[in-house]
Amino acid sequence: MNETAISVINLSKHFGEVQAVDNISLVVKEAEIFGFLGPNGAGKTTTINILCTLLMPSSGKAIVNGFNVVVSPAEVRKSIGIIFQDPSLDERLTAYENLNFHGMIYHLSPKIRKARLEEVLNMVGLYSKKGHIVRTFSGGMKRRLEIARGLMHSPKILFLDEPTIGLDPQTRKYIWDYILSLSQKEKITVFLTTHYMDEAEICQRVGIIDYGKIVDLDTPVALKNKYRVSSLNEVFLQVTGRDIREEESDEKERLSQFLRARQKLR
Amino acid sequence: MDFDAIRMIWLRDIIRHFRDKVRLLGSITRPVLWLLIMGTGLRAAFNVHGISYTHFIFPGIIAMNLIFAAMISTISIIWDREFGFLKEILVAPIPRSSIVIGKALSGSTVAFIEGLFVLAFAPFIKINIPLAHLLLLLPLMFLIAFVCTSLGIVIAARMTSFEGFGVVSNFVIMPMFFLSGAMFPIDNLPHWISFVMRINPLTYGVDFLRWVTLGIKTFALYIDFLFLVTFAFVMLVIGIFEFTKRD
């Protein structure tokens, strides 16, 4: 117990001039639920993409389940399951086909594939819909199917990039209950990113990331005590000097700027 | 070599293809139009190698359906990148080479089947292909389809938009088709056209197809074969390289 699941040492990633991840270090223990909290564009997804071997780090080191992501990507890929921020299902296929193909590329034998497929579909309550084309599913159903798929090959570490973004509160709660029971039952390490404060509260430890840097990292309770505030939202306000929800108003601002610019063109 | 992965990539593309009924319709009507309109319309104007123009272009129309279907099949790579499914494949514990080979095989299979649609017209325009030639024709069609799909994969791997692929189809598929000897014989042409034709893999495919279906050829068959195989191999290697690199 308490072995290291993920360790990140002085990791940086830049795209040209833009420093997306700036010299971050962190350790996630086995069976821990670790949350990455930060506004959009803070470097959360870039970090996850490096950890799941889709991107190369510019410098620094990342070890996932004991394997270096640069040197042994194949071993890392075997150990992890990922639910991406953007949908990554094949919407032209049925739910069953999506999962069956997933089982094939994770080298599950036909027998285990069938058993796991039924198990995870039942877990997310989609068994009765297994023969339906995914395109006909609602957003919440698609998300649940993606979670089922990410768990199908029994990964040691589960990455969830904004798992509940755009979902209604009911589905959000459902997915969260599910993730929690999973980490307890199957001892899966969960690494997730979110910009919802209430979701960050559920994590055992939270890293606050802003402009590619980890500005603070501790348990939600310790963070709140440290800054003598009652919510993580206030912690965020204290360490970064701004409200995480400003992001959303920024987006509205950008949209109205864009619309104004278009008006001018005409 | 990861056969599970190759099978998954292949099977997925085949399922998707046959669910798309409109695309199937297009692949049947295209050769009919070409054979009927071009073949019949230009028959009076052309007399090549002493055979009718409809016969002359028949192997070319097979090649046309092969290259169109093969190149279009590789749009699925751009599609998958746009709609996220490519990530699901890229984080799976499978070698990149099996992704490329799976794609090349699924595109070839689809194109091969669309080539068969053209072949089915042979009896209607009175082309009799001996059985021995037919047995050679089928693997040859698959090889040509494989060559075109491999080329399509290399192009699609670098494309980030559907619009970009549309441009490519105009600047690659059409010239490759017209400068392959599919529509007119390749001898007695200006130097530059002749040069372009000689580096076009489809030229060798059409040449081989024409020998198998009509008994007419320009190059030695081993040259046709070697050029096609070498080209496919080089494209596969480039394709695997494109898929292996990480930013």
Side-chain angles (χ1 to χ4, degrees), chain A residues 12 38 88 94 99 102 108 142 144 150 180 194 198 229 242:
Chain A
S12 289
S88 64
T94 64
L99 293 185
H102 183 84
L108 306 181
K142 285 180 193 166
R144 270 145 63 197
L180 288 173
T194 183
D198 49 340
V229 291
R242 61 202 161 85

Side-chain angles (χ1 to χ4, degrees), chain A residues 26-244:
Chain A
L26 61 93
V27 171
V28 180
K29 290 191 280 292
E30 224 168 65
E32 187 179 15
I33 300 181
F34 182 88
F36 233 12
L37 177 69
N40 295 327
K44 293 173 296 186
T45 299
T46 306
T47 309
I48 283 206
N49 281 344
I50 293 171
L51 294 178
C52 70
T53 75
L54 284 179
L55 279 176
M56 286 290 245
S58 303
S59 64
K61 206 161 123 181
I63 311 290
V64 174
N65 195 32
F67 302 104
N68 188 314
V69 294
V70 176
V71 186
S72 350
E75 300 300 323
V76 172
R77 287 177 196 145
K78 271 182 213 165
S79 332
I80 62 174
I82 307 139
I83 286 100
F84 293 106
Q85 184 171 357
D86 305 316
S88 64
L89 295 164
D90 187 334
E91 301 213 343
R92 304 285 181 101
L93 298 180
T94 64
Y96 178 91
E97 286 164 341
N98 266 289
L99 293 185
N100 195 37
F101 283 147
H102 183 84
M104 278 169 86
I105 50 176
Y106 281 82
H107 307 105
L108 306 181
S109 71
K111 210 176 134 202
I112 294 176
R113 205 153 71 209
K114 194 167 175 294
R116 285 294 295 168
L117 202 149
E118 289 180 6
E119 202 179 328
V120 292
L121 274 178
N122 275 320
M123 250 175 343
V124 296
L126 286 175
Y127 189 77
S128 60
K129 306 267 185 201
K130 65 175 179 173
H132 293 220
I133 301 280
V134 173
R135 203 164 21 159
T136 64
F137 282 15
S138 70
M141 285 159 77
K142 285 180 193 166
R143 210 68 187 138
R144 270 145 63 197
L145 183 61
E146 278 188 288
I147 292 177
R149 186 181 66 180
L151 290 166
M152 190 179 160
H153 58 281
S154 317
K156 289 208 166 60
I157 300 166
L158 185 66
F159 289 97
L160 297 150
D161 196 0
E162 303 272 4
T164 58
I165 201 163
L167 294 183
D168 57 275
Q170 221 177 342
T171 314
R172 270 177 69 188
K173 186 184 174 307
Y174 184 86
I175 286 176
W176 267 106
D177 289 345
Y178 183 64
I179 293 171
L180 288 173
S181 75
L182 195 82
S183 81
Q184 277 163 11
K185 267 192 303 197
E186 305 202 17
K187 299 276 172 253
I188 292 181
T189 309
V190 178
F191 185 112
L192 64 97
T193 72
T194 183
H195 66 272
Y196 293 124
M197 292 298 163
D198 49 340
E199 294 190 349
E201 296 269 5
I202 305 171
C203 301
Q204 283 154 9
R205 282 189 311 144
V206 171
I208 297 176
I209 182 166
D210 195 26
Y211 295 115
K213 286 192 174 78
I214 294 186
V215 283
D216 214 334
L217 193 160
D218 214 325
T219 64
V221 175
L223 283 172
K224 281 183 276 190
N225 287 342
K226 182 175 170 188
Y227 295 97
R228 298 169 191 284
V229 291
S230 59
S231 74
L232 274 180
N233 199 27
E234 288 167 280
V235 172
F236 191 84
L237 194 66
Q238 290 263 335
V239 288
T240 65
R242 61 202 161 85
D243 197 317
I244 198 163

